[in-house]
Amino acid sequence: MTISGTTRPPHRILSAFAGLALAAGVVCAMAAPAAAIPTPPDPSGVTASGIGIARDGSRQTLRVNGGRIEHRLDSRDDVDGTWRTLYGATDATKVDATYDPNLGLQVVAVIGGQIYHNARFPNGSWSGFAPIYGASDAGDVSIAVQTNGDAHVAAVINGRIWHRVRYWSGEWSPWGLFYTGSDATSVDVAVDGNNELQLAGVVGAQIRHTIRHPGNGAWDAFQPVYDGRAGAPTDVSIGSDPWAPGNGAAVVAAVIRQHPWRIDRYASRNWSGWQENAGLYVRSIDGAVFEGVFIAYAA
C-alpha cells in the first residue's frame, strides 16, 4: 500500500489511504494511487502538522506556518473549516494534537524551545498555552489520551526522550526519563484499543517502537523497526484506534529522504514491511486512525 496526496472525499475512506487536500501546506491522506511527477517542497512557511479525530469522524488539524500555530476544524461530511491563528508569534517549531472525549482537544507545542499545553473545549473556547517544560532545548513533542482521560506527553529534550502524564483531574506527573541516549530527534505516541500507549521514536538513523502498559506503567523494550539503510528519518508518527476494543494495531509513518514511508503493526503484534511513496515530498508527518488511516503532512 502506498501513500499519496490524491484527493478523495473522507467519507469514502473506509479502508487504507484515501486523500483529502486540507489547504496550503497540509494534506490529510489515506491510501491511493501514487502521485505523478513529484515536486519538491516550495518555500512556504508550513513546517509541521498535527491532527486529532473525534469519535464522530470530525477532524481538527494544527500546523506550524511561519512559526505561528494555526488550527482548523473539518466536519465528518467534508465541510472544510477555516484556518485560524492559535499562536501568533513566529517561534513555534512543533505541534501535536489528540482528541479528548472530555476536554474536546488537547494540544502540545514546542515554542522557542519550550513545551506548552493547550486545550480546546467542546464549546470552542481554548484554555490558552501554558508551559509544561520551561527550558529551551526541546526538539519534539507528542500527546495521546487514554480512555480514562489521562493524557500522555512524550518529548525529545536535548536528545533524550522524556514522558509525563496529565491526569484526568488536570494534575501533572513529574517528567520521567524514558530514553537515556543523546541521539533522539523525533517522537510520537498513540493510544490503541487495548488502552496501551504506543510510542515510536527516531534514535540516530533508526526508528524504534515500544508499548507502555496501563496497569503498572511498565514499558516494553524499545525495539528497532527501521534500521536506517534507506536513509536517516527526520520525523516519525504513530496512529491507532482507541475505540477498537482489544485491538492493538497501529500505523507508523515516517519522513525518510523527504518522502513518506509507512509500516503497519497488526493486532497480532507482527509487522508489515516498510513502503515508500517516492511521488510525494513532505516535511513532517502526523497520523491518527479512525475508520481508516489519516495522515497529516506538512508539504
Side-chain angles (χ1 to χ4, degrees):
M1 186 181 306
T2 55
I3 303 174
S4 143
T6 304
T7 301
R8 190 175 299 172
H11 58 273
R12 295 178 58 188
I13 51 172
L14 298 181
S15 65
F17 284 175
L20 169 65
L22 287 185
V26 176
V27 174
C28 180
M30 308 204 352
I37 300 174
T39 302
D42 63 30
S44 70
V46 179
T47 55
S49 59
I51 188 168
I53 303 179
R55 196 163 189 174
D56 65 0
S58 59
R59 302 173 307 280
Q60 297 192 56
T61 307
L62 283 296
R63 68 182 184 184
V64 176
N65 185 8
R68 300 177 300 275
I69 298 174
E70 298 173 339
H71 168 266
R72 162 174 175 170
L73 173 64
D74 299 319
S75 77
R76 177 182 175 85
D77 298 323
D78 198 21
V79 177
D80 294 341
T82 300
W83 287 109
R84 301 183 186 278
T85 299
L86 181 59
Y87 172 80
T90 58
D91 55 347
T93 53
K94 291 287 186 176
V95 67
D96 193 37
T98 186
Y99 172 70
D100 183 331
N102 299 308
L103 290 179
L105 188 77
Q106 293 200 50
V107 176
V108 286
V110 176
I111 299 173
Q114 301 182 40
I115 299 174
Y116 289 79
H117 174 269
N118 202 344
R120 184 180 188 271
F121 303 113
N123 64 5
S125 65
W126 292 88
S127 66
F129 280 107
I132 59 173
Y133 174 76
S136 59
D137 53 356
D140 197 9
V141 68
S142 178
I143 188 168
V145 175
Q146 289 180 306
T147 54
N148 65 352
D150 289 349
H152 293 261
V153 175
V156 174
I157 300 171
N158 197 24
R160 298 178 173 184
I161 298 176
W162 294 75
H163 166 263
R164 75 183 304 190
V165 182
R166 182 188 186 276
Y167 300 113
W168 64 269
S169 62
E171 297 179 355
W172 288 88
S173 74
W175 284 101
L177 182 59
F178 166 71
Y179 174 72
T180 60
S182 59
D183 56 349
T185 55
S186 179
V187 68
D188 200 40
V189 288
V191 173
D192 63 25
N194 294 320
N195 206 31
E196 296 173 325
L197 184 74
Q198 297 200 34
L199 181 150
V202 175
V203 176
Q206 292 184 339
I207 295 174
R208 298 189 188 182
H209 170 270
T210 187
I211 286 178
R212 183 181 189 271
H213 300 278
N216 56 13
W219 294 90
D220 286 350
F222 198 27
Q223 297 284 2
V225 293
Y226 171 77
D227 61 10
R229 280 182 287 183
T234 55
D235 198 18
V236 70
S237 171
I238 187 166
S240 190
D241 188 350
W243 302 302
N247 190 344
V251 176
V252 175
V255 179
I256 303 170
R257 301 195 313 265
Q258 292 185 285
H259 300 304
W261 291 61
R262 168 183 175 167
I263 190 172
D264 293 354
R265 181 183 188 270
Y266 304 121
S268 64
R269 301 198 170 208
N270 294 319
W271 292 86
S272 71
W274 281 96
Q275 295 183 346
E276 176 189 13
N277 181 357
L280 185 64
Y281 284 86
V282 298
R283 292 188 179 95
S284 77
I285 198 163
D286 190 52
V289 175
F290 177 81
E291 293 184 354
V293 181
F294 288 76
I295 304 289
Y297 304 116

